Amino acid sequence: MLRTSPSAMRRTAAVFFAAVCMHPAWAVATFDEVKRDFRPSDTLILDRTGEILQRLRTDAAVRRGQWVALPDVSPALRTALVLSEDKRFYEHSGVDWRAVSAAAWGNLWNTKTRGASTISMQLAGLMDEDWRAGAGGRSLAQKVGQTVSAQILEARWRKDQILEAYLNLVPFRGEMVGIDALSRTLFGKAAHGLDEREAALAAALVRAPNAKVAQVSQRACGVLRTMQAPAKVDCEGLDLFAAAALQRKAFDASEGVAPHVARRLLALRAPSPLPSPRGRGSNTVERSDPALLPLPPGEGGGEGSPNSKSPSIRSTLRAPLQRFAVQTLTQQLRELRGRHVEDGAVVVLDNATGEVLVWVGSSGELSGAAEVDGVMALRQPGSTLKPFLYAEAIAERRITAASLLEDSSSQIQTAGGLYIPQNYDRQFKGLVSARTALGASLNVPAVRTLVMVSPDAFHKQLRAVGLPLKESGDYYGYSLALGSSEVSLLSLTNAYRTLANGGRYSTPSLAKNPKPVFRPALDARAAFIATDIMADPLARARTFGTDSILATRFWTAVKTGTSKDMRDNWAMGFSQRYTVGVWVGNASGAPMWDVSGTSGAAPIWAALMNYLHKTERSRAPAPPAGLVQSRAQFGKQGGTPLEAARSEWFIQGTEQAVFAMSSGTDAPRPARGGRKPANTEPDAPARITAPASGTIIALDPDIPPKNQRISFSAQGRGTRWLMDGKEFARGAQAQWLPWPGRHVVQLVDAGGKVADEIKFEVRGAGVREASARGATTAAR
């Protein structure tokens, strides 16, 4: 019989007493406290109902999954763990004294025995740093303290709570902590799906997390033999299985259907910007970003602080709608892959609240720059700015929806040279109403309208509807009418939401926003007229036809746009309740190949609108006060009416019955209290309107000179054109085959007198057969 000296007993008692005093019993945390303080390495982004949208890695130091309740752990794993670590777990009260005696006897005779540390003791060490083993193992005081803590745990906690906490806190291999991270990383499944072989491997890793594969598989084989009949265990097959599992890294840093909005939500909740890749379309998020309302304190399921480390954030998105948007975008881009299109983005807003219902930032695996958030990247909006331009012109009473605008070749002199707008199809429609010009998205009438409004006034209007343009109106010039500025999809979609709300603007939000703060941003009457035009299928028939994909079975207003060189394609529109914005293009800025407004973004827009209104109705808005509806008729050209007579909306005081051309332009009656629209009087003196005197015309060396022409235009009747003293054309329009040198062009009126004269220069005379690109012009 072993005897212990009185001095040794006194030393042991002193150590025990010191350990208890150093770490009093009441310092042991409760089960609820441990579970509450558990922090996954991931943050879950939830939709408005609590459904998971995205899992995002937010702690790079450790791989820790979600807390898993004991009933959600497979019975095989619970059995394997108890058999491997603590066979008498359900019998002892924290300390397995039989195992302690066996271990002590083995140490005395220098024989190997299983350790005496129970699951409760191991959990005490995981919960309290004071009891954790150092490089040389645990000291006697630590062992005593761990023993005391384990007994206190058993007294205060239930057995199922101890086992549940242990499974969630125990470290496994490498950075993996907890059963959720282990099962998802090594086996690609949740903890409830682990079979006996996987459970045996997991239990083996508890004992030696970083052991070699052969050692792990050997221990797993031993665990499996205690669970099954030894004859049924194939340890050789287990070796191969263990080797494959330990090499697997299936637990991605981020997974789900909303990666970009997940990062933005984290940034809006964090006190500092979230780092992200920079460059074109960088998705770096500033907390003061004016495009979104910040998350209010406590938003997202935290402890009531914007700096909370809550494992989940609740958003305003709709998970089923988000998944449908991702699927629709992916399907459309697969169909466009042969046209050099690989990226896209989608936003859906609730008109009443401004809450974001869909946020798809990229096409994911189809994209070469999947990290770039297309919702916030700055792109040229193309023709999608035209509704705001016409609304501004109508609000200023410069035009009405029935006013005639000339769609013809135009050369506008600017400080930097001549601006020569072209239509998308390179064709001109002649005299058209403003309704047709906007509906059919004609470029030249839009530029003529901007000349009346002025780039500076239009710039102020765009900023009022939430488009934070970086430069001034003078910087963009008349090209602003065609979308030469850069905007984000989110801000542009919200600007269309402003139209949907009758010209009232409020900031969009990723947090529930039942009482948005609106401010007037656009004349409500003008907003209604622009909306009515965008909802009119006949107005867009000249360009899109009557059976366009833009036509829906319920009320919607929609506009498409394509930026220069087909780099960006947009579809923006709204119904009574929702505003949908879609962008299609390439994150790199590379041009697409033959992608039009109806073949690029529009099919995605239409699919989303149809999905949203499967069961919901959409009615046209009621006209605001100050509008009248009046019959409008149009003059004839060549015996045919310019447009069919119709009932048209007017701001009260601007209505008139007949709109007819006068010397090639519309001369509507000026609105009361407004400005008289620009027009050409019948008896106006003859003068050259384009090009401007002093123009330098550079011939393109890749185009044969015989295929290049210079266009001249003038006002007045019975005019003749002289080039260097020789007549070469008659009428208001003329074209001339360019020849290098300095030239003088004179305009002779009906009386034979020289009414106007310009001087210009043609440079370049190379002759090489190549594809035509057209001559370029610039002013001195």
Side-chain angles (χ1 to χ4, degrees):
M1 181 176 177
L2 291 175
R3 294 183 180 274
T4 305
S5 66
S7 60
M9 294 179 62
R10 286 194 296 271
R11 285 195 299 269
T12 302
V15 169
F16 180 85
F17 180 76
V20 172
C21 293
M22 180 178 63
H23 204 86
W26 56 82
V28 177
T30 65
F31 173 77
D32 290 337
E33 289 172 341
V34 171
K35 185 175 180 180
R36 183 193 63 200
D37 294 338
F38 180 82
R39 291 290 174 263
S41 61
D42 306 316
T43 296
L44 298 181
I45 305 300
L46 311 177
D47 83 336
R48 61 195 304 117
T49 64
E51 185 175 345
I52 297 176
L53 286 168
Q54 188 75 27
R55 178 183 55 78
L56 188 64
R57 178 81 174 264
T58 49
D59 186 350
V62 68
R63 172 84 278 178
R64 187 185 291 116
Q66 301 297 310
W67 184 277
V68 180
L70 190 62
D72 294 329
V73 177
S74 74
L77 178 58
R78 283 179 272 169
T79 301
L81 189 66
V82 171
L83 290 175
S84 174
E85 293 300 308
D86 192 355
K87 292 181 180 179
R88 286 178 286 276
F89 171 69
Y90 292 102
E91 301 173 15
H92 62 67
S93 60
V95 180
D96 187 351
W97 294 111
R98 291 171 57 185
V100 170
S101 300
W105 187 261
N107 290 336
L108 178 65
W109 296 103
N110 198 26
T111 58
K112 291 185 177 180
T113 63
R114 180 190 173 279
S117 179
T118 63
I119 289 178
S120 301
M121 293 172 66
Q122 293 180 51
L123 178 59
L126 294 172
M127 291 169 52
D128 197 324
E129 294 183 357
D130 290 341
W131 313 139
R132 293 179 187 174
R138 289 185 178 88
S139 65
L140 179 59
Q142 285 180 314
K143 292 180 179 179
V144 173
Q146 184 185 24
T147 302
V148 173
S149 294
Q151 292 178 310
I152 295 171
L153 275 175
E154 289 278 353
R156 295 185 176 181
W157 291 25
R158 300 191 309 268
K159 286 287 187 180
D160 62 322
Q161 292 177 330
I162 293 173
L163 188 57
E164 179 177 321
Y166 180 76
L167 283 165
N168 284 282
L169 298 179
V170 66
F172 286 95
R173 194 172 187 85
E175 64 176 359
M176 291 179 287
V177 174
I179 190 58
D180 189 49
L182 175 81
S183 58
R184 293 186 185 277
T185 303
L186 299 190
F187 309 119
K189 61 175 67 173
H192 65 78
L194 299 183
D195 58 26
E196 289 187 339
R197 185 171 59 168
E198 294 164 339
L201 183 59
L205 287 172
V206 172
R207 184 74 60 83
N210 298 313
K212 295 181 179 179
V213 175
Q215 187 178 1
V216 173
S217 61
Q218 182 180 0
R219 287 175 175 166
C221 182
V223 175
L224 201 58
R225 281 173 173 165
T226 62
M227 300 171 65
Q228 301 177 353
K232 295 182 179 180
V233 179
D234 179 14
C235 287
E236 184 176 348
L238 191 60
D239 288 343
L240 298 175
F241 173 75
L246 294 177
Q247 293 177 358
R248 193 175 297 126
K249 301 292 182 184
F251 202 7
D252 296 331
S254 180
E255 63 179 0
V257 294
H260 300 89
V261 76
R263 289 194 290 269
R264 184 154 296 268
L265 282 166
L266 285 173
L268 289 172
R269 194 178 67 169
S272 59
L274 181 71
S276 63
R278 293 190 176 272
R280 181 177 176 88
S282 170
N283 61 344
T284 299
V285 181
E286 298 294 338
R287 187 159 173 76
S288 60
D289 189 338
L292 280 172
L293 287 176
L295 293 182
E299 184 65 35
E303 276 72 51
S305 167
N307 299 329
S308 167
K309 296 179 181 178
S310 168
S312 66
I313 300 176
R314 183 165 297 206
S315 70
T316 57
L317 273 63
R318 293 183 183 175
L321 183 59
Q322 176 80 6
R323 286 193 292 269
F324 179 80
V326 171
Q327 177 185 356
T328 303
L329 174 65
T330 302
Q331 179 179 345
Q332 174 67 0
L333 291 184
R334 289 188 188 279
E335 295 179 3
L336 294 175
R337 202 62 186 267
R339 301 186 187 182
H340 196 236
V341 185
E342 63 177 27
D343 290 296
V346 181
V347 168
V348 178
L349 301 177
D350 185 286
N351 290 342
T353 65
E355 294 172 1
V356 180
L357 305 179
V358 166
W359 183 307
V360 181
S362 81
S363 58
E365 62 181 12
L366 298 181
S367 172
E371 295 298 312
V372 175
D373 188 354
V375 172
M376 298 303 296
L378 298 179
R379 304 282 179 179
Q380 289 191 340
S383 295
T384 58
L385 298 187
K386 289 176 181 175
F388 306 101
L389 171 62
Y390 284 98
E392 177 67 12
I394 291 171
E396 293 184 6
R397 302 192 175 198
R398 295 182 181 275
I399 63 171
T400 69
S403 293
L404 294 175
L405 301 170
E406 188 175 1
D407 181 31
S408 62
S409 179
S410 178
Q411 301 179 19
I412 302 173
Q413 188 171 12
T414 69
L418 290 181
Y419 178 56
I420 308 176
Q422 295 285 336
N423 286 326
Y424 179 81
D425 58 4
R426 299 285 178 176
Q427 297 179 1
F428 299 105
K429 308 296 188 295
L431 286 167
V432 295
S433 69
R435 175 175 289 271
T436 298
L438 174 56
S441 195
L442 303 178
N443 287 344
V444 177
V447 175
R448 294 184 188 276
T449 302
L450 183 55
V451 171
M452 290 186 276
V453 171
S454 85
D456 187 59
F458 184 38
H459 179 269
K460 291 179 180 178
Q461 178 60 79
L462 293 177
R463 289 186 63 86
V465 296
L467 299 178
L469 307 186
K470 293 182 177 180
E471 307 295 342
S472 66
D474 291 338
Y475 174 86
Y476 298 110
Y478 296 113
S479 64
L480 187 59
L482 308 184
S484 61
S485 59
E486 289 188 329
V487 300
S488 69
L489 175 61
L490 179 63
S491 61
L492 185 59
T493 305
N494 195 54
Y496 270 75
R497 173 176 161 261
T498 301
L499 285 173
N501 284 313
R504 298 180 305 137
Y505 170 88
S506 76
T507 307
S509 177
L510 282 167
K512 288 189 176 180
N513 188 30
K515 295 182 179 179
V517 179
F518 285 99
R519 60 170 172 79
L522 184 62
D523 185 289
R525 300 164 299 177
F528 176 87
I529 294 174
T531 295
D532 185 68
I533 294 173
M534 289 191 295
D536 183 359
L538 295 178
R540 56 176 175 261
R542 295 282 290 269
T543 297
F544 301 99
T546 56
D547 59 346
S548 166
I549 195 172
L550 301 175
T552 56
R553 56 182 173 78
F554 45 89
W555 184 88
T556 54
V558 60
K559 183 75 185 70
T560 60
T562 303
S563 68
K564 183 180 179 182
D565 297 329
M566 291 189 180
R567 297 180 185 275
D568 308 283
N569 188 244
W570 309 77
M572 312 295 301
F574 49 89
S575 62
Q576 183 181 13
R577 182 173 177 184
Y578 305 103
T579 298
V580 177
V582 181
W583 167 80
V584 166
N586 293 295
S588 64
M592 301 171 284
W593 299 339
D594 191 27
V595 177
S596 66
T598 55
S599 65
I604 303 171
W605 179 89
L608 280 164
M609 274 298 183
N610 288 325
Y611 182 91
L612 287 164
H613 289 281
K614 285 190 297 185
T615 57
E616 291 187 54
R617 293 182 177 181
S618 178
R619 296 184 176 90
L627 285 180
V628 295
Q629 199 169 21
S630 177
R631 187 74 173 172
Q633 293 182 320
F634 298 89
K636 296 181 178 181
Q637 189 173 34
T640 303
L642 293 169
E643 293 191 12
R646 61 173 180 262
S647 180
E648 187 59 271
W649 288 103
F650 297 92
I651 292 179
Q652 193 169 13
T654 65
E655 66 273 16
Q656 64 186 72
V658 179
F659 293 82
M661 65 177 180
S662 177
S663 297
T665 60
D666 169 38
R669 178 177 50 137
R672 296 172 187 168
R675 301 177 180 90
K676 183 178 179 179
N679 70 294
T680 303
E681 301 295 341
D683 56 349
R687 66 180 182 88
I688 300 174
T689 57
S693 186
T695 297
I696 298 175
I697 299 173
L699 296 178
D700 192 324
D702 290 332
I703 304 174
K706 64 180 181 180
N707 292 340
Q708 303 187 53
R709 293 292 186 276
I710 298 176
S711 297
F712 299 87
S713 61
Q715 68 179 23
R717 297 179 177 178
T719 55
R720 294 180 297 124
W721 296 87
L722 302 181
M723 176 70 67
D724 299 328
K726 296 181 180 180
E727 183 177 328
F728 71 97
R730 294 191 177 195
Q733 305 291 330
Q735 287 193 330
W736 177 68
L737 181 66
W739 190 255
R742 292 185 174 91
H743 303 278
V744 177
V745 173
Q746 295 173 317
L747 186 69
V748 179
D749 62 19
K753 295 181 179 181
V754 175
D756 199 2
E757 177 182 289
I758 64 169
K759 296 179 181 179
F760 67 97
E761 181 180 354
V762 177
R763 295 179 180 176
V767 179
R768 284 195 296 155
E769 294 296 330
S771 60
R773 291 191 314 213
T776 59
T777 62
R780 279 198 176 115

